[in-house]
Amino acid sequence: MIKSSVLKGLTFVALAGVLSGCGTTTHQSKSSTASQKSSQTQTKRQKLISELPKGVKSSDSDLVLVNKWHKRSEMSFSKSSVNGIAVRSSIVKPLEAFLAGAKKAGYPTTVVSGYRSVAYQKEVWDQSIQTYENQGKSAKQALKLTKEFVAVPSGSEHETGLAVDIMNTHWYNTHGNQLLSSSDKNKGQQWLINHAADYGFVLRFPKDGVKSTGIDYESWHFRYVGKKSAAFMVKHNLTLEQYVSLLQAREKAGK
Ligand SMILES: [Zn+2]
């Protein structure tokens, strides 16, 4: 059931992605401006490192990084079910609190997806390629589109059990049970995005984070990182990749 809705969603997500994929880049013409900028960036980074939350380490299990550049084979951890969806047992309480908070605010939610095994992700990947080929795309095009919209097997955060796809139930049910970024126009979805950090979650693939996450904007994919880290990441508009890199820099400096 999840599979078919994920795949159904793909076609639409794919279209939206293709249409919005034409950004423009501006180039600094003077090298002095560029070097000034880079030293400013360096200072900003040092300041951020000095402000990182105390007692958090890049190796903490809540911060495990899985993406297309950091693939992980199947991890072992205890799993539990929330609303019929499997997640890592350690996030059951914060997830239930998050969902209860949304409901109390008047926005009931549907948990669409949680933990997925590496084998399952491989199945989603293969099915996506098949779907594109059935639509008349060449093998090369099918692979390219799949790469854009499906996490590569062993590179999906859903394998950590710390990631959940959560949708405002009303929006989800009235939009063909699809995961679409335009769901962020819905007040209930906005509530989830704006309050996630209060429960230790972050919107994992923000609009302006594509370069560092390697994944297009997703208004439904939430990742548990713990309250301290979530608050810091939201305050400074950091992706998990950027946050972990700052923590590693602090550890390297021996602080
Ligand atoms: Zn997801």
Side-chain angles (χ1 to χ4, degrees):
M1 252 156 48
I2 294 168
K3 238 182 289 174
S4 80
S5 77
V6 166
L7 287 171
K8 224 192 317 172
L10 279 174
T11 331
F12 289 86
V13 175
L15 258 178
V18 168
L19 291 172
S20 64
C22 39
T24 50
T25 355
T26 48
H27 297 279
Q28 291 287 344
S29 52
K30 287 179 189 160
S31 61
S32 64
T33 319
S35 81
Q36 229 173 35
K37 259 207 153 166
S38 104
S39 89
Q40 273 170 10
T41 312
Q42 206 45 39
T43 318
K44 200 180 155 211
R45 187 174 159 84
Q46 287 310 322
K47 189 169 181 288
L48 273 178
I49 291 171
S50 72
E51 290 169 359
L52 281 167
K54 305 232 173 332
V56 180
K57 289 202 187 83
S58 64
S59 55
D60 289 350
S61 61
D62 287 342
L63 297 180
V64 60
L65 192 59
V66 177
N67 59 30
K68 62 181 170 188
W69 305 287
H70 292 88
K71 294 186 190 169
R72 296 272 310 229
S73 48
E74 193 68 49
M75 282 169 254
S76 143
F77 48 82
S78 120
K79 297 162 193 91
S80 306
S81 156
V82 172
N83 297 358
I85 298 291
V87 294
R88 194 186 284 227
S89 300
S90 60
I91 71 159
V92 168
K93 274 194 180 160
L95 178 58
E96 283 178 343
F98 187 21
L99 302 177
K103 198 174 174 189
K104 204 176 160 201
Y107 306 117
T109 50
T110 298
V111 182
V112 180
S113 184
Y115 163 72
R116 291 185 213 143
S117 67
V118 173
Y120 178 77
Q121 194 63 31
K122 169 97 174 63
E123 230 179 281
V124 173
W125 175 270
D126 291 344
Q127 281 201 22
S128 165
I129 290 182
Q130 194 57 56
T131 305
Y132 284 124
E133 286 186 358
N134 292 348
Q135 287 170 2
K137 304 268 193 297
S138 69
K140 206 178 154 191
Q141 283 174 316
L143 178 66
K144 188 172 177 271
L145 285 163
T146 297
K147 269 186 182 163
E148 241 167 281
F149 300 105
V150 179
V152 64
S154 298
S156 164
E157 195 172 62
H158 283 281
E159 294 156 17
T160 65
L162 299 168
V164 264
D165 295 334
I166 310 174
M167 293 293 294
N168 172 265
T169 299
H170 178 72
W171 197 95
Y172 189 59
N173 291 345
T174 51
H175 289 77
N177 293 1
Q178 293 179 74
L179 300 173
L180 299 178
S181 55
S182 56
S183 63
D184 66 6
K185 305 277 181 294
N186 170 272
K187 280 213 164 76
Q189 202 66 24
Q190 287 169 4
W191 189 97
L192 291 170
I193 294 169
N194 294 333
H195 293 81
D198 300 344
Y199 302 90
F201 290 83
V202 290
L203 190 72
R204 176 70 175 87
F205 306 117
K207 261 183 197 150
D208 51 3
V210 181
K211 245 190 181 172
S212 83
T213 64
I215 301 269
D216 271 345
Y217 174 53
E218 293 189 354
S219 54
W220 59 86
H221 181 113
F222 296 91
R223 160 68 194 259
Y224 184 77
V225 291
K227 280 188 190 175
K228 263 197 229 174
S229 296
F232 190 84
M233 287 169 70
V234 167
K235 184 178 175 196
H236 298 286
N237 195 25
L238 298 168
T239 63
L240 185 59
E241 282 78 4
Q242 292 165 333
Y243 179 61
V244 167
S245 149
L246 292 173
L247 287 170
Q248 285 168 342
R250 175 169 76 177
E251 287 150 19
K252 219 175 156 188
K255 284 175 192 161

